[in-house]
Amino acid sequence: MRLPGAAPDQPTQCSAKGCRRDASYALVWRNPKIHDEDRRKTWLACDEHRTTLSEFLSFRGFPLQVKPIDELSPND
């Protein structure tokens, strides 16, 4: 699968350390202490790591949106 607006060779593997599985979800987040309201970062997650990556970001109080990777838009 290719992300919207991504280069054809851009990987869509999970962002969890050491994981090489294909991602199914996009975790769109920002650190409000250093990012403006309109700046977002995106991590990709496989089914197995969706919860742990989400909890990592939520624990830090980062605004987070989780969506299926096929619903990711170029603006995310």
Side-chain angles (χ1 to χ4, degrees), residues 14 25 27 45-55 66-67:
C14 181
Y25 298 95
L27 286 64
C46 66
D47 291 331
E48 181 181 339
H49 292 111
R50 175 187 172 193
T51 301
T52 54
L53 290 173
S54 295
E55 287 173 350
V66 178
K67 53 176 84 175

Side-chain angles (χ1 to χ4, degrees), residues 5-26:
D9 60 342
Q10 184 169 349
T12 56
Q13 72 186 30
C14 181
S15 298
K17 185 176 181 179
C19 184
R20 299 294 175 245
R21 292 188 182 108
D22 286 335
S24 301
Y25 298 95

Side-chain angles (χ1 to χ4, degrees), residues 16-76:
K17 185 176 181 179
C19 184
R20 299 294 175 245
R21 292 188 182 108
D22 286 335
S24 301
Y25 298 95
L27 286 64
V28 183
W29 62 279
R30 72 180 182 90
N31 179 342
K33 292 181 182 178
I34 61 174
H35 297 139
D36 291 334
E37 192 68 32
D38 60 340
R39 172 123 189 257
R40 300 284 187 270
K41 299 191 103 186
T42 302
W43 284 357
L44 302 177
C46 66
D47 291 331
E48 181 181 339
H49 292 111
R50 175 187 172 193
T51 301
T52 54
L53 290 173
S54 295
E55 287 173 350
F56 177 88
L57 296 167
S58 294
F59 179 75
R60 284 152 181 78
F62 297 165
L64 172 67
Q65 186 178 30
V66 178
K67 53 176 84 175
I69 213 171
D70 59 351
E71 292 179 15
L72 194 61
S73 72
N75 298 330
D76 288 324

